[in-house]
Amino acid sequence: MPAKTTGEPAGQRLARALRRRIVDELSEGDQFPSSAQLQVEYGVSSAVVRDAIKILKAEGFVVSQQGKGEFVAAIGLS
């Protein structure tokens, strides 16, 4: 993840990057990477990942399935 250059919170920056990833690379129903994978890939803390996932859920890009993880939602692709 690029160095902070604006006043935008890290969770919002990560959510923006993940939104692009959803639109460009993933399909409805695809399992989203785990929090641990995202932490390593983007070099961020677990709190930043939680914030980003929370934003994506609120926007309808990601849905959770208890005990299974997060998945790409159909609504986020419209």
Side-chain angles (χ1 to χ4, degrees), residues 7-78:
E8 183 179 37
Q12 288 181 3
R13 286 196 315 274
L14 179 58
R16 185 170 15 91
L18 294 174
R19 250 185 249 108
R20 274 190 244 119
R21 184 173 179 171
I22 289 168
V23 171
D24 294 345
E25 300 174 21
L26 301 173
S27 299
E28 175 187 345
D30 283 353
Q31 186 159 15
F32 211 62
S34 71
S35 292
Q37 289 170 314
L38 293 171
Q39 287 176 56
V40 170
E41 185 175 343
Y42 290 93
V44 297
S45 70
S46 60
V48 171
V49 172
R50 275 194 309 273
D51 289 346
I53 296 297
K54 183 178 177 180
I55 290 167
L56 294 173
K57 285 180 185 177
E59 294 174 345
F61 281 89
V62 174
V63 294
S64 291
Q65 291 185 10
Q66 185 71 25
K68 294 185 179 183
E70 278 81 36
F71 295 83
V72 175
I75 193 168
L77 301 175
S78 57

